[in-house]
Amino acid sequence: ADDAPQLRARASAEQLVSRGYPGSAIAILERWTAMAPNDLYARVRLIELLRAEDQGEAAEKRGRQTLQVVDDPVLLAHLIEILAK
């Protein structure tokens, strides 16, 4: 599988966050995760950004959906921690 697109999407989002544009990062990750729902790391990062930007309802909804498909124990623990905030 070609990992380049997912790495580009995640890297672009992180650059935007570091420059103070979390809303733009959220938009990129929303588009990317719609096209690549199996990129669970991107989905969890999106939930984390939504939570940080006081979009708790959206974070909760996506979080519940993502909890059902994450099988990596470290990623799952991180997601649970985000949702508990």
Side-chain angles (χ1 to χ4, degrees):
D2 181 11
D3 289 340
Q6 81 179 34
L7 295 177
R8 271 199 302 276
R10 288 193 217 154
S12 296
E14 293 309 324
Q15 283 178 335
L16 287 162
V17 170
S18 71
R19 292 180 186 149
Y21 299 107
S24 298
I26 287 169
I28 283 179
L29 289 176
E30 283 178 336
R31 272 197 311 271
W32 172 248
T33 56
M35 292 188 304
N38 292 337
D39 186 348
L40 300 178
Y41 288 92
R43 285 174 63 172
V44 170
R45 183 61 175 136
L46 173 57
I47 294 160
E48 190 171 32
L49 290 173
L50 288 168
R51 172 70 82 204
E53 291 301 297
D54 291 325
Q55 296 183 38
E57 202 171 295
E60 287 291 327
K61 183 176 179 226
R62 287 179 182 274
R64 280 194 304 275
Q65 294 167 344
T66 305
L67 276 173
Q68 297 169 11
V69 292
V70 172
D71 53 6
D72 178 285
V74 175
L75 191 60
L76 184 60
H78 184 59
L79 177 56
I80 290 168
E81 184 183 330
I82 293 165
L83 293 173
K85 288 180 183 171

